[in-house]
Amino acid sequence: MVNLQKIESKWQKKWEDKKIFQSKKSSKKKFYCLEMYPYPSGSGLHMGHVCNYVIGDVCARFKRMNGFNVLYPMGYDSFGLPAENAAIKNKTHPKIYTEKSIKNFIRQQKEMGLSYDWSRTFSSHQPEFYKWDQWLFLKLYEKGLAYKKKAAVNWCPKCNTVLANEQVVNGKCWRHTETEVEIKELNQWFFKTTDYADKLLDGLDKLEYWPEDIKTIQRNWIGKSQGIEIHFKLKGTNKILPAYTTRPDTIFSVTFVVLAPEHPLVLELVKGTKYEKETLETIKKIKSQSIIERTTPEGKDKIGCFLGKYVINPANNEEVPLYIANFCLVDYGTGIVMADAHDQRDFEFAKKYKIPLKFVISKNGSVIDAETASEAYTADGILFNSEKFSGMKNQESIPKVIDWLEKKKGGKKTTNYRLRDWLISRQRYWGCPIPIIYCNKCGLVPVPEKDLPVKLPEKVKFGDKNPLETNNDFVNVKCPKCKKPAKRETDTMDTFIDSSWYFFRYCDNKNNKKIFDKEKIDYWMPIDQYIGGREHATGHLIYSRFITKFLKQLKLTKIDEPFLRLFNQGMLHKDGVVMSKSKGNTVSQEEIAKKYGIDTARFFLMFISSPDKDKDWNTEGVQSAYKSLIKIYSLLDKKQIKETKELQSKTNKTIKEVTKEIENFNYNIALIKIMDFVNYLTKKGCSKNSLEVLAKLISPFTPHLAEEMWEKLGNKPFISLEKWPKYDPKKIDEKFEAIDAFLEQTKKDINNIIKLVNIKPKKITIFVSETWKYNVFKKIKKELEKTRNTGEIIKNVMDKKYGKEIPKIVTSLVKNPNKIPDLILDQKTEIQVLKEIDIGFKIQIIPAEKSKENKAKQASPGKVAILVK
RNA sequence: GCAGGGAUGCCGGAGUGGUCAAACGGGCUGGGCUUAGGACCCAGUGGCUUAGUGCCUACGCAGGUUCGAACCCUGUUCCCUGCACCA
């Protein structure tokens, strides 16, 4: 019995010693394969991780064998809050904690047999890496894309830091799903992702190898909408309140205008008036609502109040009252909404506060009575009571209304995005310091490039506050401009900055002069295959695209999009829940490797289900995977046979199918085809060539086993660097498959008859009657010369006598005219092959026509009758 | 509510117009091997069955297109994922 563990460590050592997976620039076509770099947690890797990395490894190994110059690196996203928290909890330093975790990760990943180029690895907490974060920050600052502003931001009380919009999930913190995010007014650093909103959106159309759903998610996240800012003039002043809308067709329906409670104008408007008290109370009430309460459609009541002011509708010069309302959001559009009878929220609000409503759209243009209406009319229809637009279809009127309002100077056509600028500052220690200095005299001064990196101090005190704030050595510096005492920025950067460009760094990870060498990344980038979780759709995958577009603007890269192909793997479940440390249902890599070998785990994980689907871990399946590997390896002990045409056909067909399936990421089906081949070889015998092909086909999945087989077959290492087998379409002969099917059927028939007669015969004679089929066959062939229309041929050939066998034969022949369909076989072949059937008896076949044996025993058309002697 | 994906046998999961009662694997049943078990090998695994190259019923549900549908079209139910008072 083969010892999988032993051969695994043997080959891992050899791979490492010979550095066979190191990649250098060459004239070969490149292929950059990458998995999203992991956050190195202290708890190590489990089967869920193994699954993710093996998907990438199979891809990398396959491409490598197919003649590509493959870049397949690994690194670590080592900054971040969890490490800081874990370190504090374990009374150790985040750096020590993290580096220990990384070491452990590397060991585990090596034990998985992943074909990484380890010479290119790095971790984002290393100053050699984060120096370039800071450099990027300065570049963004230089171009006005990094800026500081006071804003209402999301604050997680558990993390003790602010969060980006992308890190807020259902109003809760992405790391603490029980913790409500608070809104705080803080002075924070932002990256101006919104400047790239259009580019980010348009770029999606070019990403033809991205999953549709991810593109849709990003489109929705960017949320581009075309509309108009309508200028409502505050009554009695020249002040303009712009209200953004995508539905200017409802302009004549407007009966009030709503401001967001946080809108800076609100307090100004009510100051010193009798409405001030109520307004303040209402704002307080709204702010006490959680985000969920405020932003769920079915949710809570509409809350708001009248501000005592009126604005003028530029379309008809009507005065309408001004309100604040909880459903109006300050950071979307202009924070001002025109309200009418054609929006459910507005409608409910109006009913509650007894604001009059008027409809201007109905299905057929007939007037709707606002008094009796019970809900908003939100569907499309015909306009009425809309001056010159009455009678138009509302959708068609939209551009016309916009034109008309623009001409009247009552508004301005605008595009709006849901995308927010990226909030990047964090009030935590374990991150990359923001390279900014505050000087009393010079103000905000960027750290000069030559002073980079701004190193994160190691000796710090962990307490209630950000440890950087209490570290005087770090905080107190000289102003780079005036040399007077100044203070450093103590916020650190969001770790998503590290991950938004790290993939460039693999191409040139040791460069200490530049962020990377342009020539090198021009060769390697973009990433041909990126593999990672769907959950990064709106975070990492947008940030990376943003930074790449920025790098292009700096002329540091030619590429526009970093990830050519994206693959989202499914999650590994156990007992119906996602396998994860927090759920406590993990299966450790060591446990499985020790018992079955890591190749078994690799095989199992790729076999159970398509890589993009969720899968379930089950113990029986692992055992059967183990058995399969044993079965494959034990083929080596079998006596080898000479190549037959049939074996060649099967071998070539398997190469063809497996290659196609791997290319399409159908790894499970590829393995099924491989196992089919293995079963075939087990039964019918194998040749040296067929075993070599088998070893190559299986090598991306179970590389250790394949190397061992390769060596045992008398070849020099390494199979990992061998050429992927090519198939010869000429050698694939479907006839053999048909014969196989025929044999199966014959065997069944024989067994049935033996059961029936209930004897153990010494000799069986089989009669084959095929005459009728040959006639039909000839007829169809003739028809085929006239037309390829299946239906027509069937009609012409159809004969009551032959029933439903005919369509089958016709279809088969239409599909492949050279393949002998079904049971229409060369009778000579039958005789040859049937001799090989092992049913424990000797059998003899006599073509039916020639048979002068007992007529009663003659077979019915196409099948077999047996005469027992 | 909007968007995307899905529903197949005891289970996981193939199959996108015909050789489909449905690959492959697991489970289960029977047989062989074995002192026994395991491993391995063989057979069976929708129902009926006069045992037949037979009939019926089936790929969420209901219709439609077609000589022919698990596969195409329409409607419908349920499930998952993402966004969500976005004006």
Side-chain angles (χ1 to χ4, degrees), chain A residues 27-43:
Chain A
S27 57
K28 277 201 279 185
K29 208 170 169 214
K30 66 96 188 180
F31 191 91
Y32 187 175
C33 176
L34 187 68
E35 295 128 19
M36 290 178 186
Y37 77 157
Y39 175 76
S41 87
S43 46

Side-chain angles (χ1 to χ4, degrees), chain A residues 26 92 117 168 244 249 283 291 327 532 547 666 712 798 844:
Chain A
S26 79
T92 168
D117 176 354
V168 180
Y244 175 76
D249 51 320
I283 292 175
I291 297 178
F327 63 82
I547 294 291
N666 295 324
K712 282 271 178 329
M798 203 37 116
Q844 182 193 347

Side-chain angles (χ1 to χ4, degrees), chain A residues 628-645:
Chain A
S628 301
L629 296 201
I630 299 298
K631 198 170 173 182
I632 291 172
Y633 192 78
S634 58
L635 279 174
L636 292 177
D637 303 333
K638 283 192 73 162
K639 208 178 149 195
Q640 287 172 12
I641 59 162
K642 245 176 83 188
E643 289 262 305
T644 60
K645 278 198 172 163

Side-chain angles (χ1 to χ4, degrees), chain A residues 96 183 242 264 340 350 360 370 397 423 427 449 452 458 469 521 558 581 615 620 644 673 717 720 736 798 818:
Chain A
I96 295 169
I183 303 292
D340 52 64
V360 296
S397 76
L423 169 52
Q427 291 69 49
E449 237 179 273
L452 296 183
E458 284 190 27
E469 274 180 58
I521 62 143
K558 292 189 288 196
K581 186 80 208 290
K615 39 205 141 263
E620 288 99 7
T644 60
K673 304 283 184 198
S720 301
F736 294 112
M798 203 37 116
N818 298 320

Side-chain angles (χ1 to χ4, degrees), chain A residues 670-689:
Chain A
L671 284 175
I672 283 168
K673 304 283 184 198
I674 290 173
M675 282 319 290
D676 192 43
F677 187 46
V678 170
N679 287 336
Y680 179 90
L681 296 178
T682 311
K683 273 187 197 156
K684 304 243 175 149
C686 42
S687 64
K688 182 160 187 268
N689 175 57

